[in-house]
Amino acid sequence: MRAAHAPLYLALVLALSAPARAADDGGETIEQQRAQFKSLHQRMLDMSRELDAQKAEIQQLRDQVDDLQLTQRGRGLSAPNGPQQELVGQDARDVAEQAKRKAATTAASDEDRDAPVQVGQTQRAEDAQRREQEKALVVREHAPLFERKFTLDTGLSYSYYDRRQLALSGFLALDAIFLGSINLDQTKASVATFELSGRYGLTDRISVEASLPYVYRDSRFVSGGAGGASSVVSEVRMRSQGVGDASVAAYYQWVKESQRWPDIVTSLRVRAPTGRDPFGLKLIQPDGDNNNLNIPENLPTGSGVWAATVNVSALRTYDPVILFGNIGYTYNQPTNFDDISPVAEQVSPARVELGNAIQLSGGLAIALNDRSAVSFSVATSVTGATHITAPGGSKRRVPGSSSNSTTLNIGASYVLPSGWTINGQLAAGLTPDAPNFVFSMRGSKSF
């Protein structure tokens, strides 16, 4: 006999013994005793049903805890063990005890009956903290974290360009035969950039940043027609290095992510012409036997003009995926140069207006855990044509100066135990104006 039913049978025995007491005392009738017996029997049945309901509710709570543990394994976490498992089990037992007390209470209100059962409060708190860590890891890649800390960021990127150009010098005879020379020029350029940046959060919404790049360029120029023979090809290699264009930036977070709105961050970046500009670099003929090959005497490391870029970025979390997008506009200030002519011993002052650019990008990032994440994005930049104005002359458009550069980007991030965050990214060019590929590696740490 179950211990839980002992009080019920004791009540039944007392009820059966009631007639003897009644006969001796001359009290209650047999009909009243039978009515009491039926009442006690009905009460025993009601209590048995309540007990079965309690067992079913406890089993349901155990199933919910098991489902929660299986869900954690599906997100890449190991199964709870040791103290963590004891915490989860303790939470389940506490909830089960609460369910027993709730089922035994007959005066529960409607609000209490409709309230959802809370399972594993400790585990939920840990999951929320882990999601915040995963989000911070991804956000660091696409927008600054607004913390009152100094963040050191160092990066190295390598880009490769391969351009071929077919040059025809002559005319068509009878609309079918070309008379003249055909030259195929090829340029292979490798650009390595080391950039050192520092960022500091002034408030929980404002952050400032400064960066200085150092550029190393290695270019090979190939052209046919050496010695007047189209089958002879000459090649010249040129290297150049120097400081690039330094920049400062400020970030402001307009909106913080909520159930209705994503994170919205705006930034303003100003770039100074601290690098070597490309204007006025004279062309030289390195191969005396090939007058088709003309290369610049030096390679530029900067744009030569002041520029300002305004960006608006949005970021939305859909655990474990984070969506992000960016739209930006770059304005290049018109600048007067004393000489823009590439011809040796010729000086041509002019006012140069580089084409302004519109940047669009978007993608998604997936947090694998609180230390690693991967991202996929597409970025495009459309740049307008460059215009030149000579002293006393009219504005003239430079043919072929507009561009459309689009890349597909794949990146990964990992946080080391030392606190450094390592970020790697590979970008593949999708348009002729984009580089063939760009590989970058960056490390950052907050102090």
Side-chain angles (χ1 to χ4, degrees), residues 15-28:
L16 293 176
S17 63
R21 294 196 307 271
D24 296 338
D25 300 336
E28 299 175 346

Side-chain angles (χ1 to χ4, degrees), residues 79-135:
N81 51 52
Q84 185 178 6
Q85 186 177 9
E86 293 177 359
L87 286 175
V88 176
Q90 183 64 37
D91 291 335
R93 290 192 294 270
D94 293 342
V95 173
E97 293 297 334
Q98 294 176 6
K100 290 181 181 179
R101 290 193 297 269
K102 178 181 176 182
T105 304
T106 59
S109 62
D110 293 340
E111 181 179 358
D112 294 335
R113 287 197 300 266
D114 297 335
V117 179
Q118 301 296 328
V119 181
Q121 294 292 342
T122 303
Q123 187 64 36
R124 288 188 178 183
E126 293 177 357
D127 289 344
Q129 182 180 5
R130 176 178 49 78
R131 284 194 296 268
E132 289 299 324
Q133 293 174 346
E134 294 174 356
K135 178 183 174 182

Side-chain angles (χ1 to χ4, degrees), residues 156-161 188-194 214-219 240-242 299-302 435 437-440:
L156 179 64
S157 65
Y158 173 81
S159 58
Y160 177 77
Y161 299 79
K188 300 179 181 181
S190 299
V191 181
T193 303
F194 175 78
Y214 190 85
V215 181
Y216 175 83
R217 303 188 62 171
D218 185 352
S219 299
S240 179
Q241 57 185 332
L299 298 176
T301 60
F437 69 88
V438 179
F439 177 75
S440 60

Side-chain angles (χ1 to χ4, degrees), residues 258-270:
S258 62
Q259 294 182 353
R260 296 184 57 186
W261 295 96
D263 278 334
I264 300 179
V265 179
T266 59
S267 65
L268 174 63
R269 180 175 296 273
V270 177

